[in-house]
Structures are given as C-alpha cells and as structure tokens.
Amino acid sequence: MTEHFDVVIVGAGLSGIGAAYHLQTACPKKSYTVLEGRSTIGGTWDLFRYPGVRSDSDMYTLGYNFKPWREAKAIADGPSILNYVRETAHENGIDSHICFHHVVKRAAWSSEDARWTVDTECGPEKQAARLTCNFLLMCSGYYDYAGGYDAKFAGTEQFKGRIVHPQFWPEDLDYKDKHVVVIGSGATAVTIVPEVAKDAAHVTMLQRSPTYVVSVPAEDSMANWLRARLAPMLGYQIVRWRNILLQMYFYNRARKVPAEVKAYILKLIRNELGPDYDIGNFTPRYNPWDQRMCLVPDSDLFRTIREGKASVVTDHIETFTEKGLKLKSGRVLEADIVVTATGLQLKVLGGMQLSVDGRGINPPKLMAYKGMMFSGVPNLASAFGYTNASWTLKCDLTCDYVCRVLNYMDARGFTMCVARRNPSVGEAPFLNLDSGYIQRAEHILPRQGTKAPWNLHQNYARDLMMLRYGRIDDGTLTFSTPNCVTAPTDLFARAA
C-alpha cells in the first residue's frame, strides 16, 4: 500500500528542519514526513567541507526564529551551524520523521483526489517508492548538489597540478607550502583564501571582476553581553531585530544613494589595506546590492593580504598551462593547485518533474505568489530565502504562512488551495540580482509579478505583516473541495 501523509517536506537541511518544527508546533494533528536524498541531516552545511566554510550572514538572522543562537561567534563556522540544525531536529523529535536516501523524482497532483502522488528513488539501487500527501512543502534549496558551475576554461587538460571545486573538496588535498590559485570573488572564494593561506606558500585570488567586500566582527559583543544577563530568547530577539533593521537600512540606503554607499565601502577598504594598495581590485563596476556583498569576519581576508600571504589579481584567463594559468594580459600565474570557486548551478524545486491533472508543469511559465506558491499549482509551497538578507528569515515566514493556510483550510472544510493569476499583472525576473549564477538560471526560474501579491518585497518587515498577519482569503489564493474544482482550462491559464 502507498503510505499517505498530510504533508511531505522535501529536504532535511536548514529550511526543512525549520519547516518540520513549524508544522508540528502550529498544526500538531498533521502527519508528515521529511524526504532527504542524502544520508544525513544538514543539507548545504553537511555537503560543503572546504576550508573555513562558514555563514555569509550573522547567525542571529540566519538562525531560526524559535531557537536562540548560543555560540559566541555571530559569523559561525560550518560545523557549528550543522550542529545547530541537528540539535534542533533531535530536540524536537524531527529526526524520527526523516526518510534518508529518498530522492524525489516526480510529483503528480490530482484535483479529483486532492492529493499529490510523490515518486522517489531510494538508496544506491535507486529503488522506486511512492507515497501520497495533501500538501507538498519544498525545502530543497536552490542549487544543484550534484555539481557546481563549470566555467569550462581552456587548456585544463594541460595542467599538471590539481584542480578542485569547493563543492567537492577532497579530503586528501594537501596545500601546505603550495602555490594556490582560487578562481572567483564570491563568498566561497573570500572564505577559502585566508584559511588556505595559513599553510600555503601563497594564495592568489583570481577574479574577472571585483566584488564588494565588507569586514564585520566575528563575535557580536552586544549579543554576548545580553546573553549573560537576559533570558536566552529575549536577548536573541533583541539582537535579531537590531540586525534585521540594520540590514534593511543599509540595503535601502544602497538602492537610494548607491554612489554614497559605494564611497563609504571603498573608504573602509582603503583603511584596511592602506594608501598604497590598488583598491581597484575591490571596486566593482556595479552598484552595491546589484549583486550580493561578501562579509569577511574580523578582516581576515584583508589581514592576509596585508601580511603578504595572499594577493588579488583582476584579469581574464586565456588558458591553463602545464604549470598554472596564462592570463589575457600576458601575465602568468604559477600554481600547484587551482580552486575553481566559480559559483553554483541553480536547480528549481529540487529538479523534480511536476504535473497537475496529467499536464506537465514548466517552472518558467509560472508566477510566484508571495514568493512561495505558484500560479495554477495547488497545495504546494517552496521555501526560498532573501537575496539581500539571511535565507532563514523568509523561510521562517513561509512556514508560518503555510501553517496558517493549512489551519484555515481545515477550519472551513477545504482540501485544495491554488493561486490564480490575474492576466493584468505584468512579469518580472524572479530574483533582482545581476549575479552570474542567477543570470545563467533565468531561463529555468519562475517569474514574479509587478504588483502584490505576486511581487517579491525582499523586505522582512513587509513580509512579516503580509505573511504572519495578512488575510489568507485575499482573493488571489482560492479554496475548494474536490467536488467543486475549477475547470483545468482556468487552472492552467499560464502554467502549461
């Protein structure tokens, strides 16, 4: 017999464990399971093992709303974050609901039955398994665990050294006293460089174009002071809201007066590296927050550069050679090891195939409702975080909202909810960043609308009011039971 659950959560990472907590707290009578394709809890924080792996935002906002972060470091290392996620799962009995080695391949919705049929592949033998649910909550992240972005550099076959991608860092990689080139300028690169430089002969960060890099304290002195004097949750929420408001202020300032914010950031960098350093290596062509900024704890990247253990080169690669890299400027970088921190490969809804009443769903044809549900797709939500703030802030709100919807449906006898698109609403890209990994994936991403409730605010305060306190029956999200389902032609106005 096919096992049935009220809710199926896909993914046992930071988002999935949070979703399970919200569900069993706000909807305690709902049965649920968590399907995880890998063998353990943690998602990204278990997968990434490169040197120095850490958060790229503070843990008072990356942490869950319901569980205080108790460690001294606000910019935390990967193992500490992984422990936090696993501790949350164990404390709340969530780990007993997880089915490991279950890769979701397909999900098919039946309006007649008001349920999803979910097909998975289990274990190394990829044995087929099937289950059903009334609601599907996707918490599988947004990038491909199977592989990072391959920039396909010329001449890699000539290189006599070792080429590694951070997403699959080999345990046996020995970089002690070696010359290392890290290709990239994003969060991964600025994390790896100072850590590897502790043992390497020299590390060069090779970038095509600069990124905004800002130093922040690794420890939050105010948070640590409050933790010693107040109840854990009270101190946590004070710091959490302080950081949320500061993030919102800085982001809004960057959008309104970008030249002023850019000058401020460059002044900070000049103070870090001294008057003789060419800060062109840290002066992007774009405005602040056109792409994500990089945070470095306690100036570790800048300190490593000052000490001469690392350097930054802005240039393009012409080809790999036997001993390193030849750049388009003619310069040659010798290397024993090259780390290709060239970015992520995005994947929508975990890469699974979706169908509704026998018709296949093409994600780029969908429009996102409140940043979580999709036009014409019933009883499905996806946890997707902010681009300008911590991922978990939006995921917490998404899970809150899903629980409100489930309780609303139960109270009124509904079994199906679907967001119906208004044809007058214009389209816009789903994500508002110019980052390469987003631009490369634009053709596979759903769209957002030009007005509420189809547009993404990227603003926690606005989303808080809409998702936690706004109306459920807003005229766009419609509800029904199997015997009064709207005709498929209306349901699929833009979904096919």
Side-chain angles (χ1 to χ4, degrees):
M1 294 181 63
T2 301
E3 195 169 5
H4 179 79
F5 298 91
D6 293 318
V7 180
V8 165
I9 298 168
V10 179
L14 186 65
S15 306
I17 299 303
Y21 175 88
H22 284 283
L23 183 66
Q24 65 184 30
T25 302
C27 308
K29 294 183 180 180
K30 295 288 184 187
S31 62
Y32 78 93
T33 189
V34 182
L35 302 181
E36 170 54 50
R38 303 178 73 244
S39 62
T40 186
I41 294 171
T44 297
W45 300 108
D46 178 71
L47 177 70
F48 284 177
R49 304 293 179 89
Y50 58 80
V53 58
R54 56 170 172 77
S55 61
D56 63 351
S57 55
D58 70 278
M59 288 305 299
Y60 298 95
T61 55
L62 186 62
Y64 299 120
N65 181 54
F66 55 85
K67 180 177 172 61
W69 176 254
R70 299 173 184 269
E71 301 290 333
K73 284 189 175 182
I75 307 298
D77 59 80
S80 296
I81 300 171
L82 180 59
N83 181 66
Y84 174 79
V85 176
R86 291 179 174 172
E87 186 178 86
T88 303
H90 181 69
E91 287 175 349
N92 296 282
I94 296 166
D95 43 7
S96 65
H97 291 263
I98 302 172
C99 293
F100 295 108
H101 299 292
H102 277 60
V103 178
V104 178
K105 305 300 289 185
R106 289 168 297 278
W109 170 263
S110 166
S111 294
E112 182 179 355
D113 301 321
R115 65 176 53 184
W116 287 98
T117 298
V118 182
D119 290 317
T120 69
E121 289 181 351
C122 307
E125 298 82 13
K126 297 185 178 180
Q127 183 177 357
R130 173 171 287 181
L131 60 147
T132 60
C133 64
N134 301 114
F135 200 98
L136 191 56
L137 182 50
M138 300 299 300
C139 298
S140 52
Y142 67 110
Y143 68 90
D144 191 350
Y145 276 24
Y149 173 62
D150 182 2
K152 299 188 183 301
F153 298 110
T156 53
E157 72 282 354
Q158 303 178 58
F159 184 54
K160 300 300 184 183
R162 195 162 180 182
I163 302 173
V164 300
H165 193 286
Q167 193 164 323
F168 305 102
W169 194 271
E171 292 184 5
D172 64 344
L173 185 64
D174 179 15
Y175 49 82
K176 184 175 176 60
D177 298 327
K178 302 288 180 62
H179 286 86
V180 181
V181 173
V182 178
I183 304 173
S185 60
T188 303
V190 302
T191 298
I192 290 174
V193 169
E195 187 67 23
V196 169
K198 293 177 181 177
D199 296 312
H202 188 80
V203 181
T204 302
M205 187 170 86
L206 174 60
Q207 57 185 17
R208 290 184 303 175
S209 58
T211 299
Y212 289 104
V213 181
V214 178
S215 175
V216 294
E219 295 191 12
D220 188 320
S221 57
M222 175 182 171
N224 292 340
W225 187 88
L226 290 173
R227 188 184 302 111
R229 290 162 176 80
L230 298 178
M233 182 57 80
L234 177 58
Y236 180 66
Q237 290 296 336
I238 290 172
V239 177
R240 182 179 175 88
W241 268 105
R242 180 206 63 182
N243 290 358
I244 289 170
L245 294 174
L246 285 174
Q247 289 169 1
M248 289 170 54
Y249 171 79
F250 188 75
Y251 177 77
N252 290 333
R253 193 77 180 157
R255 306 316 282 173
K256 290 178 180 178
V257 285
E260 180 181 311
V261 173
K262 181 173 184 174
Y264 173 71
I265 295 172
L266 296 182
K267 180 181 177 182
L268 295 178
I269 294 170
R270 172 64 68 201
N271 291 340
E272 290 279 1
L273 296 175
D276 298 326
Y277 186 85
D278 177 14
I279 63 168
N281 289 319
F282 291 96
T283 308
R285 295 188 295 268
Y286 56 85
N287 288 325
W289 278 117
D290 285 350
Q291 298 182 22
R292 279 187 70 95
M293 292 188 183
C294 290
L295 299 183
V296 296
D298 291 339
S299 304
D300 62 356
L301 176 66
F302 299 125
R303 183 176 63 253
T304 304
I305 293 171
R306 288 196 307 266
E307 293 171 350
K309 297 178 180 178
S311 56
V312 180
V313 174
T314 305
D315 208 331
H316 287 70
I317 297 170
E318 180 175 308
T319 184
F320 275 67
T321 67
E322 286 190 5
K323 296 183 178 181
L325 298 160
K326 181 181 179 183
L327 308 181
K328 290 190 175 179
S329 64
R331 183 174 178 179
V332 174
L333 297 178
E334 292 193 358
D336 302 300
I337 298 169
V338 175
V339 179
T340 56
T342 48
L344 306 170
Q345 194 74 23
L346 298 199
K347 180 180 279 191
V348 179
L349 298 174
M352 72 176 181
Q353 299 174 6
L354 277 183
S355 64
V356 175
D357 295 329
R359 299 182 64 172
I361 295 297
N362 187 11
K365 298 290 186 180
L366 304 177
M367 183 174 284
Y369 168 78
K370 297 185 177 179
M372 70 180 76
M373 301 179 75
F374 304 101
S375 54
V377 182
N379 291 30
L380 181 145
S382 177
F384 199 99
Y386 291 117
T387 58
N388 65 342
S390 291
W391 177 268
T392 322
L393 288 174
K394 180 64 179 289
C395 293
D396 265 332
L397 292 179
T398 295
C399 297
D400 270 349
Y401 182 80
V402 168
C403 291
R404 290 183 66 206
V405 169
L406 293 174
N407 289 333
Y408 178 90
M409 293 170 68
D410 285 349
R412 291 158 180 80
F414 295 125
T415 56
M416 173 174 162
C417 64
V418 61
R420 301 198 181 282
R421 179 176 174 180
N422 186 330
S424 66
V425 178
E427 291 186 354
F430 184 64
L431 298 174
N432 62 339
L433 293 180
D434 296 332
S435 303
Y437 70 99
I438 292 174
Q439 298 303 309
R440 291 193 299 269
E442 189 172 346
H443 67 288
I444 65 171
L445 294 173
R447 310 290 286 174
Q448 67 165 305
T450 53
K451 58 184 179 181
W454 300 100
N455 58 333
L456 278 69
H457 296 138
Q458 302 295 345
N459 183 298
Y460 180 78
R462 292 182 66 182
D463 282 340
L464 178 69
M465 298 306 298
M466 176 178 68
L467 300 178
R468 189 171 292 172
Y469 303 110
R471 288 179 57 189
I472 296 293
D473 57 337
D474 60 358
T476 299
L477 189 64
T478 59
F479 300 88
S480 59
T481 55
N483 60 356
C484 59
V485 175
T486 303
T489 52
D490 178 44
L491 191 66
F492 285 89
R494 280 283 292 173

